[in-house]
Amino acid sequence: WWFLPWHRAYLRFFERMLQAAVSDPTLGLPYWDWENDLSIPTQYWGACNSLFNPSRCMKETDLLDKTEVSKALSQARGAANFVEFRGGNPPPDPAVRRIPGQLERGIHNYVHYKIGGDMMVFGTSAFDPVFWAHHAALDRFWQLWVDSLRSDPHPVDPLWRNQPFKFYDTNGQCV
């Protein structure tokens, strides 16, 4: 239920860490435009490159499947509301598995599994720098979907709108 807002905040706090590390408040995370570029961007390759992750199953010459990408994005774009786009309300019983929406079970999961390696494991996916470009693209896609609608596409439920998330600022303080 909070997949998209949690990841948006996660990206933002990571971006702030990078900005502080290089003393550049204008630095922004790039996104991987997998709709128009089916290969992992060249910036993420090279044995001596800190953006390269050798655990990837996808190789430099491999491409995402254009049909799979187009299908996944088309299904997500066609979602009429947030429940279809992202997924339903959280189940009353936390032990019940939630049902992911079009974006997560479509392009999100497809790219993670296609890249493989660290990207396939929840606990290690962020170890691959392409994770950040992939999630920045998902956030961009969410915003484009929101901008295409005429009404507020977000849940009105106060549980969704007021959910706090804990992150750490550049001083290591929990916020």
Side-chain angles (χ1 to χ4, degrees):
W1 204 35
W2 292 294
F3 174 81
L4 293 168
W6 185 88
H7 274 89
R8 179 168 283 177
Y10 188 47
L11 290 169
R12 183 63 186 125
F13 276 89
F14 181 68
E15 191 174 65
R16 286 180 180 167
M17 297 284 183
L18 293 175
Q19 291 168 345
V22 297
S23 300
D24 182 357
T26 66
L27 180 137
L29 286 173
Y31 66 90
W32 173 14
D33 184 5
W34 13 245
E35 184 169 22
N36 296 302
D37 186 357
L38 298 172
S39 61
I40 295 174
T42 58
Q43 293 86 345
Y44 293 90
W45 294 103
C48 296
N49 182 349
S50 60
L51 299 178
F52 174 66
N53 183 312
S55 79
R56 293 179 194 144
C57 296
M58 194 171 171
K59 303 301 178 210
E60 193 169 2
T61 56
D62 292 342
L63 301 174
L64 299 175
D65 183 286
K66 185 171 184 63
T67 303
E68 288 292 323
V69 171
S70 295
K71 178 179 142 188
L73 295 177
S74 177
Q75 288 173 336
R77 276 192 188 100
N81 55 54
F82 186 80
V83 171
E84 289 178 27
F85 185 76
R86 167 45 206 115
N89 293 336
D93 178 358
V96 175
R97 173 95 170 95
R98 65 179 175 75
I99 299 171
Q102 293 290 350
L103 189 71
E104 184 179 1
R105 75 173 169 251
I107 192 68
H108 171 264
N109 289 351
Y110 172 70
V111 171
H112 273 276
Y113 293 132
K114 180 70 176 178
I115 292 172
D118 283 334
M119 284 284 283
M120 282 186 54
V121 180
F122 181 78
T124 62
S125 59
F127 292 172
D128 189 335
V130 80
F131 168 94
W132 302 98
H134 173 49
H135 280 266
L138 292 167
D139 190 69
R140 176 182 174 270
F141 191 82
W142 177 29
Q143 191 60 52
L144 292 171
W145 179 77
V146 166
D147 293 346
S148 74
L149 302 176
R150 294 177 189 257
S151 61
D152 184 0
H154 302 105
V156 294
D157 188 320
L159 288 174
W160 191 86
R161 294 195 177 251
N162 300 320
Q163 173 64 31
F165 302 113
K166 292 182 181 179
F167 290 97
Y168 291 88
D169 65 17
T170 56
N171 297 316
Q173 299 298 310
C174 184
V175 294

